[in-house]
Amino acid sequence: MVKEDLIEDIKKKRANISVLGLGYVGLPLAVTFANAGFNVTGIDPIQEKVEMINRGESYISDITNAQLRKHIDSGRLRATTDYSVLAEIDAVSICVPTPLRKTGDPDMSFIASASEQIAPYLHRSMVIVLESSTYPGTTREFVLPKLTANNNLKVGEDFFLAFSPERVDPGRKDYTTFNTPKVLGGITPACTDVAKAWYEQAIETVVPVSTAEVAEMAKLLENTFRMINISVVNELAQMCERLDVDVWEVIDAAATKPFGFMKFTPGPGLGGHCIPIDPLYLSWKMKTLKYTARFIELASEINTGMPRYVVNRIQDALNRYRKPLNGSKVLILGVAYKPNISDMRESPALDIIHLLREKGAIVTYYDPFVPELDFENIQMTSEKDLPASVENVDLVAIITNHAKIDYNMVVDKAQLVFDARNATKDVPKASLKVIKL
Ligand code: SAJ
């Protein structure tokens, strides 16, 4: 009766919930469970984050202080760095990072640590859901053995384990943790039942699938689809340049097709912690099975080649005006990995800055969302006066097209513009000074 009793406790909101990892996925998830009436204990190893949460201060833009404070003041939600609270917890969501190592292999250390921290407190009538994007088989082959290493609890009978991919798109207002359909698959059917009974108390639509592997693979299909389609248009941009055809016009024309087409746009490369990374978890797993995921590897090669392609195009643009790149002043306009956010993870702007400097360019940047850059070999401060900065360089390279920038002013004051995002599409007379990807 373990399964039925746990589902009863969940439905009655008697079950105590924990979310392990309070980042852009975990904190909104914790608040979503609290909104549904559960008592939630967030766990994170970073003391500063825990203290901010317990003061009702949100460090995640998708969660306001008011949304957080409501549950802190009512005592429904609290945070801690102490994993021993798990002894009193009935349901745990694991929302920890899954980055890549420098070698390009999956970094499973965060999932390993979370599993090992939970194991001593694993008890009968407990459900655990892994949310971190990872390779198919992780939940069954990697997490389960760590949970049961020092006990004889039986998955699907004594406790329950499932995978449910996060689908958080930071900054998006129309889709939230609550109303984004949630795929969920268990190690056993009973695991799927228990996890589904839990998640559907707090999330509008839960989509059960037959196994954890199906859920893991569905997530990777979502982001592999995106990564490969972006690489297609990145290669198309290179073809169009050789054909002297405007790739942006081509894509806009193709996008008029009301069915059977989905618009993607070329750019300076692929940033973020999902799209360029998740597909490589799949290709890595397939390598262990002696299978080469050719599309993923080719797409990754094209996307990672875009920063160098952009720098070559910048060099050609200056060359037209008899200016060697070496010694020319180049302003990078927009460095975040995508428009209107401050996130720099995997941003192609960093590669472009590095490559330009390697060729002797004098590089500055302006990004209203990123006041400072402090990465391995790049320590820079954003220019403060955009008009003056634009006037003072040989070329402005629009790398990330933040909406708040006045591109009319940029084109008006610049000597030369390389536009990697078609940000100047509505600027009259842009063609006189703007060279587009
Ligand atoms: N990019 C292009 N061309 C495109 C779309 C994106 O070059 O047509 C670039 C962006 O500039 C960025 C990178 O790709 O550097 C990733 O962009 P993204 O729009 O995919 O944004 P992300 O990384 O925030 O992706 C997230 C993902 N959400 C989750 O993994 C839960 C992704 O699945 C979503 O589809 C995406 O948000 C979204 O739709 O906004």
Side-chain angles (χ1 to χ4, degrees):
M1 290 293 280
V2 173
K3 171 184 158 184
E4 291 70 16
D5 292 348
L6 180 51
I7 289 177
E8 184 67 12
D9 279 348
I10 286 169
K11 287 184 174 174
K12 292 268 193 306
K13 308 289 171 43
R14 290 194 295 256
N16 293 320
I17 309 300
S18 183
V19 175
L20 216 172
L22 299 173
Y24 79 93
V25 175
L27 185 57
L29 185 62
V31 169
T32 303
F33 283 135
N35 291 342
F38 287 106
N39 286 322
V40 183
T41 304
I43 301 175
D44 196 287
I46 300 174
Q47 182 66 31
E48 188 199 350
K49 286 161 77 171
V50 164
E51 287 169 0
M52 284 185 73
I53 290 173
N54 289 332
R55 290 198 302 268
E57 292 167 27
S58 172
Y59 46 81
I60 296 288
S61 54
D62 290 350
I63 295 294
T64 64
N65 289 347
Q67 286 170 317
L68 187 55
R69 194 164 296 131
K70 179 173 72 172
H71 296 308
I72 298 295
D73 294 350
S74 71
R76 191 173 290 291
L77 172 64
R78 70 185 188 92
T80 180
T81 57
D82 178 6
Y83 288 83
S84 68
V85 299
L86 290 168
E88 304 304 318
I89 292 293
D90 306 299
V92 189
S93 289
I94 304 173
C95 302
V96 297
T98 44
L100 286 179
R101 296 186 186 291
K102 284 265 177 276
T103 55
D105 292 345
D107 176 354
M108 300 299 285
S109 62
F110 295 93
I111 293 184
S113 167
S115 308
E116 287 151 8
Q117 295 280 12
I118 293 170
Y121 306 103
L122 188 71
H123 55 76
R124 276 166 63 81
S125 189
M126 191 172 190
V127 55
I128 294 148
V129 176
L130 175 62
E131 294 228 351
S132 311
S133 305
T134 184
Y135 62 82
T138 297
T139 309
R140 192 183 305 273
E141 301 160 10
F142 188 82
V143 174
L144 179 56
K146 291 184 183 331
L147 291 176
T148 55
N150 298 311
N151 58 59
N152 46 22
L153 292 168
K154 192 141 175 45
V155 69
E157 290 175 27
D158 301 319
F159 75 99
F160 307 92
L161 177 61
F163 182 82
S164 178
E166 59 91 358
R167 281 178 167 174
V168 175
D169 181 22
R172 187 180 278 272
K173 299 286 178 239
D174 50 355
Y175 287 103
T176 63
T177 300
F178 169 71
N179 71 354
T180 302
K182 203 82 166 58
V183 169
L184 178 150
I187 295 297
T188 70
C191 295
T192 306
D193 294 346
V194 174
K196 175 175 177 291
W198 170 23
Y199 269 52
E200 64 191 4
Q201 304 303 315
I203 291 173
E204 192 176 55
T205 309
V206 174
V207 182
V209 292
S210 56
T211 64
E213 286 80 2
V214 169
E216 289 161 337
M217 194 64 166
K219 170 66 181 180
L220 294 181
L221 170 58
E222 289 165 22
N223 286 1
T224 299
F225 165 82
R226 197 164 172 79
M227 182 250 216
I228 286 177
N229 279 284
I230 294 166
S231 74
V232 167
V233 290
N234 279 337
E235 184 170 48
L236 195 80
Q238 298 177 63
M239 294 187 229
C240 286
E241 194 244 334
R242 284 164 175 73
L243 292 166
D244 196 18
V245 169
D246 183 329
V247 65
W248 303 96
E249 191 181 2
V250 166
I251 291 169
D252 284 344
T256 60
K257 183 179 177 188
F259 50 83
F261 182 79
M262 185 172 182
K263 180 177 179 180
F264 290 89
T265 51
L270 224 46
H273 41 278
C274 304
I275 306 307
I277 290 174
D278 296 350
L280 300 185
Y281 268 70
L282 177 56
S283 58
W284 173 84
K285 174 67 178 176
M286 296 320 294
K287 269 189 211 131
T288 69
L289 302 175
K290 308 264 186 292
Y291 182 88
T292 301
R294 287 159 292 174
F295 269 112
I296 293 173
E297 300 205 352
L298 176 59
S300 186
E301 185 187 316
I302 291 170
N303 290 331
T304 51
M306 289 309 284
R308 187 172 295 278
Y309 174 72
V310 163
V311 168
N312 290 342
R313 292 291 308 277
I314 288 171
Q315 189 161 21
D316 293 348
L318 286 165
N319 194 45
R320 278 196 216 169
Y321 295 84
R322 300 179 184 282
K323 291 186 177 179
L325 183 53
N326 191 347
S328 286
K329 291 190 280 187
V330 177
L331 175 72
I332 303 294
L333 183 44
V335 293
Y337 85 77
K338 73 176 187 179
N340 313 320
I341 62 168
S342 61
D343 199 332
M344 282 298 299
R345 280 174 287 190
E346 311 289 324
S347 176
L350 296 170
D351 299 317
I352 290 170
I353 291 170
H354 181 68
L355 289 168
L356 284 170
R357 282 178 160 176
E358 244 182 12
K359 291 176 179 282
I362 299 157
V363 186
T364 53
Y365 88 91
Y366 178 90
D367 189 315
F369 294 87
V370 185
E372 300 280 337
L373 286 181
D374 185 6
F375 291 85
E376 285 127 60
N377 50 9
I378 296 178
Q379 278 75 38
M380 296 171 79
T381 301
S382 173
E383 294 294 296
K384 302 285 181 290
D385 179 342
L386 181 56
S389 306
V390 166
E391 278 177 331
N392 180 36
V393 295
D394 300 298
L395 180 142
V396 177
I398 301 172
I399 298 303
T400 299
N401 48 325
H402 294 308
K404 68 193 319 188
I405 300 290
D406 177 354
Y407 293 105
N408 283 286
M409 176 277 293
V410 170
V411 173
D412 179 46
K413 292 184 176 297
Q415 294 182 54
L416 184 58
V417 177
F418 181 76
D419 183 356
R421 296 284 193 175
N422 203 24
T424 58
K425 62 181 181 295
D426 299 327
V427 174
K429 299 201 300 291
S431 56
L432 300 178
K433 289 188 199 172
V434 177
I435 295 168
K436 293 196 294 188
L437 184 69

